[in-house]
Amino acid sequence: MLEPLLLKGKKSGRPPIWARRQLIDGIRFRTRTGVPWRDVPERYGPWARVYDLFRRWQRDGTWQRIFNALQAQADAKELITWDLNIDSTVCRAHQHAAGARKRGISRLSRPAASRSSRTTTASDARAAA
């Protein structure tokens, strides 16, 4: 059923140690439980190999093809109910985020502060002259 979607091809080199089914079961275990990749049980193969298969299939679009095929099959059997849900929630920003006026003394009415915060000493005055 999904065999044509898996892009299997004969590759030269060392034969695989872990069956693809084991690795797929490891991916399913990880997504079902939410554990970190390093905590995938050893019966599914090394965690790095399980993750490698997951990432390769993610990058080449295999997971998307599997999802689309399964969705089309379920839709053909009328197992999917296509309902729309439109949310009209309004999000408001806090008044400070919107640039609201501040009460009290405004910056425009305050006298400008001197640019230098360093106090001038007698030795500085002689050095400047």
Side-chain angles (χ1 to χ4, degrees), residues 34-46:
V35 300
W37 285 106
R38 290 181 185 264
D39 292 341
V40 172
E42 188 65 30
R43 68 179 175 266
Y44 299 121

Side-chain angles (χ1 to χ4, degrees), residues 78-98:
E78 296 182 0
L79 298 174
I80 299 176
T81 306
W82 296 98
D83 292 332
L84 287 177
N85 181 13
I86 299 172
D87 187 7
S88 63
T89 304
V90 176
C91 294
R92 291 182 170 253
H94 190 270
Q95 65 182 0
H96 295 157

Side-chain angles (χ1 to χ4, degrees), residues 1-9 11 20 24 27 52-71:
M1 167 166 91
L2 296 175
E3 291 292 327
L5 301 173
L6 299 182
L7 294 178
K8 289 195 293 187
K11 292 184 179 179
R20 184 170 283 170
I24 293 172
I27 294 169
D52 180 55
L53 180 67
F54 172 77
R55 283 296 289 158
R56 276 191 291 121
W57 282 11
Q58 188 178 34
R59 287 181 181 144
D60 69 12
T62 301
W63 292 122
Q64 189 64 42
R65 286 192 300 276
I66 291 171
F67 174 75
N68 291 340
L70 291 174
Q71 189 178 39

